[in-house]
Amino acid sequence: LYLDEIGQLELMGKGIHDVLAFILEKLGDGGDLYITVRKENLGKVIEKYDLSDAKVIETSYMGMYHR
């Protein structure tokens, strides 16, 4: 399952926060969930959603307008 993007709204309990919390509860310790998080929000998202065991995959993607 892929979710794009967990950010400031979710950190405030808005946006798709409820969806993510539900998915995490249902997955428990099984299943794969991939989420995108901006680097500046990563620590906060890991803490808020108790993702300390998550594997972080960093990319160097610069956006569709980068030349």
Side-chain angles (χ1 to χ4, degrees):
L1 184 59
Y2 295 86
L3 292 178
D4 181 37
E5 152 188 10
I6 304 304
Q8 289 297 317
L9 283 175
E10 290 73 26
L11 290 169
M12 295 185 294
K14 299 178 181 179
I16 61 171
H17 163 78
D18 291 341
V19 172
L20 176 57
F22 177 80
I23 291 169
L24 290 170
E25 179 184 322
K26 292 299 179 188
L27 284 177
D29 291 330
D32 293 327
L33 173 64
Y34 296 84
I35 60 175
T36 56
V37 179
R38 293 177 193 234
K39 197 171 208 170
E40 62 266 20
N41 294 324
L42 184 58
K44 295 174 193 170
V45 169
I46 288 172
E47 184 178 333
K48 180 173 183 74
Y49 295 103
D50 192 25
L51 301 174
S52 58
D53 292 335
K55 180 178 179 182
V56 176
I57 303 169
E58 292 189 45
T59 67
S60 60
Y61 179 69
M62 300 297 288
M64 62 188 288
Y65 300 108
H66 180 72
R67 293 178 188 222

